[in-house]
Amino acid sequence: MRLRELGISIGVLPPGPHNAITDVPGVLVGHSTIIADEPRVARTGVTMIVPRAGAIWSDHVFAAYHSFNGNGEMTGLPWIAESGMIGAPIGITNTNQVGIVRDAIIRHATEQRYYESFFLPVVAETWDGILNDIGAFHVTTEHAIAAITGASGGAVPEGNVGGGTGMICHGFKGGIGTASRVAATESGDFTVGVLVQANYGLREDLRVDGVPVGRLIPESEVPSAWGPTESSSSIIVIIATDAPLIPIQCRRLAQRATVGLARVGGFGGNSSGDIFLAFATGNPLPAAPATPYALQMLPHAQINPLFRGVAEATEEAILNALCAAATTVGLRGHVAHALPHSRLREIVGRARAAL
Amino acid sequence: MRLRELGISIGVLPPGPHNAITDVPGVLVGHSTIIADEPRVARTGVTMIVPRAGAIWSDHVFAAYHSFNGNGEMTGLPWIAESGMIGAPIGITNTNQVGIVRDAIIRHATEQRYYESFFLPVVAETWDGILNDIGAFHVTTEHAIAAITGASGGAVPEGNVGGGTGMICHGFKGGIGTASRVAATESGDFTVGVLVQANYGLREDLRVDGVPVGRLIPESEVPSAWGPTESSSSIIVIIATDAPLIPIQCRRLAQRATVGLARVGGFGGNSSGDIFLAFATGNPLPAAPATPYALQMLPHAQINPLFRGVAEATEEAILNALCAAATTVGLRGHVAHALPHSRLREIVGRARAAL
Amino acid sequence: MRLRELGISIGVLPPGPHNAITDVPGVLVGHSTIIADEPRVARTGVTMIVPRAGAIWSDHVFAAYHSFNGNGEMTGLPWIAESGMIGAPIGITNTNQVGIVRDAIIRHATEQRYYESFFLPVVAETWDGILNDIGAFHVTTEHAIAAITGASGGAVPEGNVGGGTGMICHGFKGGIGTASRVAATESGDFTVGVLVQANYGLREDLRVDGVPVGRLIPESEVPSAWGPTESSSSIIVIIATDAPLIPIQCRRLAQRATVGLARVGGFGGNSSGDIFLAFATGNPLPAAPATPYALQMLPHAQINPLFRGVAEATEEAILNALCAAATTVGLRGHVAHALPHSRLREIVGRARAAL
Amino acid sequence: MRLRELGISIGVLPPGPHNAITDVPGVLVGHSTIIADEPRVARTGVTMIVPRAGAIWSDHVFAAYHSFNGNGEMTGLPWIAESGMIGAPIGITNTNQVGIVRDAIIRHATEQRYYESFFLPVVAETWDGILNDIGAFHVTTEHAIAAITGASGGAVPEGNVGGGTGMICHGFKGGIGTASRVAATESGDFTVGVLVQANYGLREDLRVDGVPVGRLIPESEVPSAWGPTESSSSIIVIIATDAPLIPIQCRRLAQRATVGLARVGGFGGNSSGDIFLAFATGNPLPAAPATPYALQMLPHAQINPLFRGVAEATEEAILNALCAAATTVGLRGHVAHALPHSRLREIVGRARAAL
């Protein structure tokens, strides 16, 4: 179930065909989902975003990041800041295993003899230690590589999948969500796609299109997975676009994820790792060029529709994660309840009818 | 008229006694307002924020900034970034006259023999060229100094005053607004105060506590000052707190202004200079100490109430600017209409009643 | 007199025809020099660097900055960081008058109806209060505009001119200096030009091509202008290149000025404003394009010769400032002595002969 | 053999008792060195710096980083930037295995039940693929933990040890080096210690105290390990001090490593990961405080001796790495020759005698 299937949409721009990050041509998503009850409880996994299908190792993308609250990890940041480029799939997993996933990307590149690529992988995380026995270190090199080799385009599985398997958001079950927007500019239409691993926020702060849904579903009705006043985690936002942006413009897009997050109810809490990465596929970037790159650059004055697209798609991607995620029982019997769809539909419907 | 006088409040934290940046002890605000029709139209001015009444030149404050969208000016940034300190009043004026206000602060310090202070003033701006004949360069050194010497505590004049005199926000008349919050932490209560010079945004994007008020007051009812699809300006947010923060924590506060701005309807449009400055008075910082400073530092784990306070106070300060500002006719007969209070009250009332 | 006329050169790359920032095609430099003894002592001025002769207002350049030590001012930084562009001449003056020079650039653009340009000028400073009665605020709007309109290509006056008139460096008379390098890459030859306003450093730290010249010219021989253990000032470095760089690469160049500065003897002392700005003219950037810019981008893997060029040209530009500057008597009879050429030649000659 | 044992010293400040990073009280260093010829060639390892002996997991340190050229990895950067703190040992290893070392720190903390610590480890790297069969992934979790548990104070093994085992510097054998300085301030004496993993630079650029030693030891005398015109690697610099600095001041120290590096001959080449981390132990920072921290902060105006200390100790630490490293034959018979001590002594001696 996705937000729009409940009759609710966000913003004014139209989504792409799958309303997913994969609407950006060439972008693939793969998940390795790890669920087990024995010998130790596993509710975790890895998600991989491949920026250019079949080519990322030899044809890089421009990229930049923004840290809204840095209580989290994203590897590879110095080279993104310096070069504005990424040349490998991007991983998201749990906090304890960023390292094995990072090294796995290098192992895979080495085995496949992707020699043109540099070896500074980008891997991010959020913490799933409420539902997942995170000290069991369930993720293996093979899980990470399988998420790359199994990545595909089209509709993206959401909720309790991949890196999002054990995540919690605004007290409900969270996880992976995605959305997209088509942004019309004077230079033509471009797609902005967003994928989130949502694991942050308090119940009371949850808003859907401005409506304070969280406050209206009390603890007595659906108890929060972390308790009502606590939240110790994070959201990773990956933004893709086919617009011809240069790195400085990718950074502008990355920062706009803050807008969507703020509108759902995030404020970058102290224990939250709210780190946003944006990449742009609109320019080919061969890994080892002999001559200067010939680039296109969207004029800054035309970028507002992309900013709006990032804000809207981030807001909707988080809500898609909440709508898709299923109630989960995990470590020590902890329960994260799904956001009740009927209540969501009812509350938002009531608020809209009044306007 | 302020937002709360209309029966509308924002968020969950209580405001301070004046619901103003001056609720932070020692913080003063002064305005020089310049209104004239001849020889050239003036709708402009200067606002000064004094971080420590009577002492800022010799007892500095910790500070940091965040640029959400940098299409604007704030002087003094390299030394704020390097030292984490400010030692002079902070000015806000129009785009063309940042320079004269900046140099005026040095002139004033020189004349008053404030020799302990460093001379890298912090002055920011937004662009008032729709209502004000900005090419007439109305602001003088005397206006700038008068805003310092006339600064006071207590209630702060809002709307068409000081630097905000000619500003426009979400298509309505904008200007200066302020608000505050009392944030309860395990180390005690601290005040967060915010002052904005609001001059950004589209009508359609305006929300009040999540309610899409802008969409519900059509152009046919109240025309936008810029036209419905354009906005070429900016918001400056100044944040004060008496909490004992170090500079790295001031930066965290500064970035949280994004949350309040996003909730009202800002997204950091390309032509917007959305620059946020936070200072903390909780530690004395003599300008020329002989021995190490003895500081207090709020633990990061206790900072969330301050984050929430910045978000709420920024949101309310913008709305206070909109509520206080009066309809203004300016350059070439351009009109910026006040936000109609009755319609605001009615729309928000309807939405709330439905929940 | 320039360093090479003394038989000393720096590094391995060849300089351009004028060994000056003006070797980058289209770059102009203008100086307004203000020297007076009455009614108050003036040893100050303004220097302007025009990035594109006759076109900068409508054809911008990519740019970025680096702050090695931020105890100084450079205006316009938020928009450089956000957009990566500059669209006006760049000013350098004394600390107290950054503002009037900044506003003067806007006045000039307004008067000339350069309506395509944005209005966030870039002006930097160093402090000349030892030799110049800085509290007299000698620089006027007219001085600033004259430095723009009088800017020219070819050989650049150095030493006691423009913004450098009253500056002091490593205890000797400092000021304006310039140098250039031709950097051979696989994509062809590019020029890197550097202009400095040098006003930093202790005698004992001065090195010329690694030789500790400062230590070998004792205070008893030539007394330091600030006293032997004090230095309260700064260096501004402006870097130009005709290579087709994007903003992220301009930032890389800007940071490399640190290398040249460190080799002469700078370490970014606390009271120093060591701020570096790099711009690249290799791509046309019309101010108001209707379609995406078509850009060239030098591959990162070919950028090392430019890095080396910045390091060498910065080192030599500082030394050119020292060689060109003449002994100056200023405020209250303070004397800044010229670096004695014969001693410089002799010491470096001896060291080189030994290798 | 260390630089001073050859009769050469750098700068004017006195070193601490061991002229090592461990002169900062409580700082420990541990190495796991991995050398094997079969089944695959290993010339690699891990080095760990423990910021507070026996206490880092529950008593953190202030920290900050600077990236001079970001073609390298250092994990944990978002939280350092956000919080200004580190709460675990800091690892340095080879490029391919940052991940396993990073996760190993979490495993170790989990096993030891260091529950107070956060779990965002800081691990950096340089690339040893010339001498080491880096695709064999030799480093294990056990190697990483052994470097922590075996860390000690006092003299630090240098050269071909730990993470430095397979490194190359200015064409000679490089690796681990360390040095320290005692910096006298008005607030008392503080120690600055530096440890480098040096793996960067061209032969022709090597300078020792300004003397162009690299140019004077031609390829015909000692061939460069990478060939004379290539260098594809990096330097990690870790800076420790017992001064009471806040995070913004640690960043200032981190950036000053550039000065020392530039003086030896580094210029932040494109393929170099020149990333610098500084931490300050001068304030206790309990991991879970109930009340505000009581801190000391060295006034900015007293920080210059620390800046000078960082510059000098970085320069000397690199040279100590070069002096201590032994000629190494590695993968496919590649040879990295030791810097010939007698030639170094002779060349520098000649240059000094001439002054």
Side-chain angles (χ1 to χ4, degrees), chain D residues 141-168:
Chain D
T141 299
E142 291 67 34
H143 288 123
I145 295 176
I148 297 173
T149 56
S152 62
V156 174
E158 295 174 301
N160 304 5
V161 292
T165 303
M167 301 302 162
I168 294 166

Side-chain angles (χ1 to χ4, degrees), chain C residues 66-69 202 205 207 209 252 255-256 262-263 265-270 300-301 304 307-308 350 354-355, chain D residues 66-69 202 205 207 209 252 255-256 262-263 265-270 300-301 304 307-308 350 354-355:
Chain C
H66 178 73
S67 174
F68 175 46
N69 195 62
L202 295 181
D205 291 328
R207 285 181 181 251
D209 195 24
R252 304 183 82 186
Q255 186 165 188
R256 267 63 190 182
R263 289 181 182 166
F267 63 92
N270 176 63
H300 288 308
N304 278 352
F307 287 176
R308 194 177 285 275
R350 229 189 312 147
L355 297 180
Chain D
H66 178 73
S67 175
F68 176 47
N69 195 62
L202 295 179
D205 291 327
R207 285 181 182 252
D209 195 23
R252 304 184 82 186
Q255 186 164 189
R256 267 62 190 183
R263 290 181 181 165
F267 63 92
N270 176 64
H300 288 309
N304 277 352
F307 286 176
R308 195 178 282 277
R350 226 187 318 145
L355 297 180

